[in-house]
């Protein structure tokens, strides 16, 4: 079967650099091989740097971003707990669903898709629900392109002494994420967005307060596979077998994080900011309207209403069939009217922006 070589400008996965593809082709070792254990330690160190945390329990969950979301919530929540979930798009909704399946009573602090959660609304919910154990929020809402200012809501969570879970699936490696500075207790991501590693792992970090809360549970974590108290015996000094680690994916993540660290986080954030702004200017000039308000737009994910006269689905199809460029369609209320254009990690280059614009102009002219 021939696999097409696409320019991946959708909501993820992003294109993968050759160094990472080569890492995937390296020989397999055992998951307890001394060289692989060294690689695991380096992956954890590199993740600490990228998450900006000193958390000991920083590792990669075997599974995509949703497995990270599930790991965060099922470890912290058990039946009878109360959780506040900020919902302003599809992924906040998914967090609320998982929290509820974990047996928690879920209070949703909601706003329109495309808007961000008002810190005062969160504070009011915390005041109204003093028994809350966890607050959960999405940093970069990939369904709307809105950036939630985590630093603005974090003080309210901290003041109420509540555990704070943040989804950084789309943000990590593209905009600043400061786990320790913002007081986040569990933060998770995915490999296939701004880290530009194939989908399949969910980087995650747990604070000591989060780990204490897991140890104080009345009931065992309902998921054996995602139980952090078991996983820490493999990722920590004990090196006790839990499940067979996905060797090749971890080798790829090691290489991908190496490239992130080599570029430097600040340089990487600047690259996303500059090229994101450039793309935004060009899209607006072509009458694409942003769903998210100015000042709350993500540089790596542009959720835009397609202009009158352009058929959303057939325009997207032409970009793929004629130019090999993938962009995403809208989710939920934006299905059929919006595109989600990604500029993530290795995909985020001037050449790709210009290639996309040339193809887009051809589609618009037709
Ligand atoms: C913000 C956010 N959270 C969670 C997920 C789920 O990740 P995955 O599809 O890798 O399971 C995604 C995927 O797009 C996402 O954008």
């Amino acid at each position: 079967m021939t696999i097409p070589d696409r320019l991946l400008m959708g909501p993820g996965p992003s294109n993968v650099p050759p160094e990472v593809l080569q890492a995937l082709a390296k020989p397999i070792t055992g998951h307890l091989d001394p060289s692989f254990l060294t690689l695991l330690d380096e992956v954890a160190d590199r993740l600490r740097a990228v998450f900006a945390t000193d958390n000991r329990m920083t590792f990669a969950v075997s599974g995509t971003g949703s497995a990270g979301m599930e790991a965060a919530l099922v470890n912290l929540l058990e039946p009878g707990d109360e959780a506040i979930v900020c919902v302003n798009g599809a992924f906040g909704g998914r967090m609320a669903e998982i929290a509820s399946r974990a047996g928690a009573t879920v209070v949703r602090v909601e706003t329109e898709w495309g808007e961000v959660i008002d810190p005062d609304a969160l504070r009011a919910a915390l005041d109204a629900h003093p028994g809350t154990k966890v607050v959960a929020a999405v940093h970069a809402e990939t369904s709307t392109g809105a950036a939630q200012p985590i630093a603005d809501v974090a003080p309210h969570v901290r003041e109420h002494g509540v555990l704070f879970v943040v989804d950084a699936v789309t943000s990590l490696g593209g905009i600043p994420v400061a786990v320790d500075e913002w007081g986040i207790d569990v933060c998770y991501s995915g490999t296939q967005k701004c880290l530009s590693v194939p989908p399949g792992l969910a980087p995650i970090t747990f604070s000591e307060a989060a780990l204490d809360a897991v140890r104080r549970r009345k009931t065992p974590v309902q998921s054996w596979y995602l139980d952090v108290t078991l996983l820490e015996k493999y990722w920590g000094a004990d090196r006790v077998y839990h499940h067979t680690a996905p060797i090749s994916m971890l080798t790829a993540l090691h290489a991908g994080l190496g490239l992130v660290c080599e570029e430097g986080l600040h340089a990487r954030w600047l690259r996303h900011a500059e090229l994101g702004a450039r793309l935004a200017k060009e899209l607006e000039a072509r009458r694409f309207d942003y769903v998210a308000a100015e000042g709350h737009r993500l540089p790596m994910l542009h959720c835009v209403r397609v202009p009158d006269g352009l058929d959303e689905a057939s325009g997207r199809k032409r970009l793929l069939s004629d130019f090999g460029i993938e962009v995403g369609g809208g989710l939920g209320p934006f299905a059929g009217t919006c595109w989600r254009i990604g500029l993530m990690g290795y995909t985020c280059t001037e050449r790709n922006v210009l290639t996309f614009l040339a193809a887009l102009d051809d589609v618009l002219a037709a």
Side-chain angles (χ1 to χ4, degrees):
M1 187 186 167
T2 309
I3 309 284
D5 187 11
R6 305 292 197 203
L7 174 53
L8 296 173
M9 293 188 67
S14 58
N15 291 102
V16 174
E19 292 89 335
V20 175
L21 291 174
Q22 281 154 15
L24 281 167
K26 293 214 166 132
I28 304 291
T29 60
H31 57 273
L32 293 171
D33 188 293
S35 78
F36 186 68
L37 297 178
T38 302
L39 182 136
L40 279 189
D41 283 342
E42 288 186 11
V43 165
D45 281 345
R46 290 172 185 190
L47 285 177
R48 278 183 206 100
V50 173
F51 276 122
T53 184
D54 291 332
N55 286 340
R56 177 180 56 84
M57 201 44 195
T58 301
F59 65 106
V61 174
S62 307
T64 63
S66 304
M69 187 187 284
E70 195 126 21
L73 295 168
V74 301
N75 275 288
L76 295 184
L77 294 170
E78 61 184 320
D81 286 340
E82 212 173 351
I84 295 179
V85 182
C86 300
V87 180
N88 59 342
F91 295 101
R94 188 176 296 183
M95 283 180 128
E97 169 71 21
I98 292 175
S100 147
R101 287 185 186 208
T105 304
V106 176
V107 174
R108 294 163 72 111
V109 175
E110 278 193 84
T111 186
E112 290 288 310
W113 280 39
E115 292 177 8
V116 295
I117 302 294
D118 177 0
D120 289 339
L122 176 62
R123 196 187 50 211
L126 280 161
D127 288 343
H129 298 276
T132 301
K133 184 178 187 186
V134 167
V135 166
V138 177
H139 188 200
E141 208 5 295
T142 325
S143 60
T144 67
Q148 177 69 43
I150 295 295
D152 293 355
V153 294
H156 300 307
V157 183
R158 226 177 8 249
E159 270 163 33
H160 286 77
V162 172
L163 295 167
F164 194 18
V165 173
V166 172
D167 176 313
V169 170
T170 289
S171 55
L172 193 70
I175 54 175
V177 173
V179 167
D180 287 358
E181 187 188 324
W182 293 342
I184 299 172
D185 290 289
V186 184
C187 190
Y188 60 86
S189 188
T191 40
Q192 76 274 21
K193 312 260 186 179
C194 292
L195 301 179
S196 284
V197 173
L201 291 174
I204 195 164
T205 183
F206 284 75
S207 70
E208 288 305 317
L211 293 173
D212 284 347
V214 183
R215 285 187 207 105
R216 282 199 309 269
R217 290 172 62 107
K218 296 187 207 77
T219 57
V221 176
Q222 128 217 352
S223 165
W224 177 88
Y225 195 70
L226 299 174
D227 183 338
V228 70
T229 63
L230 301 177
L231 292 168
E232 74 179 342
K233 296 199 170 71
Y234 176 62
W235 281 84
D238 297 349
R239 301 302 191 188
V240 175
Y241 162 72
H242 177 259
H243 65 273
T244 309
I247 309 293
S248 299
M249 272 305 298
L250 285 159
T251 307
L253 179 59
H254 181 266
L257 291 170
L259 294 175
V260 173
C261 295
E262 207 172 277
E263 178 178 6
L265 282 168
H266 285 89
R268 202 170 175 93
W269 298 332
L270 190 64
R271 173 161 62 84
H272 282 84
E274 284 179 355
L275 290 168
R278 176 124 174 233
L279 177 63
K281 191 166 145 255
E282 298 290 346
L283 285 171
E284 284 183 314
R286 289 163 178 77
R287 295 182 297 113
F288 285 81
D289 290 333
Y290 276 78
V291 163
E294 180 121 43
H296 289 298
R297 292 179 192 157
L298 293 167
M300 76 290 276
L301 195 280
H302 301 247
C303 183
V304 283
R305 295 184 186 86
V306 302
D308 286 344
L310 172 63
D311 182 71
E312 182 280 309
S314 53
R316 204 152 38 88
K317 205 165 148 199
R318 262 212 68 207
L319 281 174
L320 189 68
S321 59
D322 292 7
F323 301 102
I325 299 175
E326 179 184 278
V327 299
L331 290 182
F334 305 129
T337 55
C338 285
W339 281 357
R340 288 181 303 145
I341 305 165
L343 207 50
M344 300 177 178
Y346 186 62
T347 301
C348 180
T349 64
E350 184 179 34
R351 181 165 91 159
N352 289 341
V353 171
L354 297 179
T355 303
F356 168 73
L357 291 171
L360 177 62
D361 285 342
D362 192 89
V363 169
L364 290 173

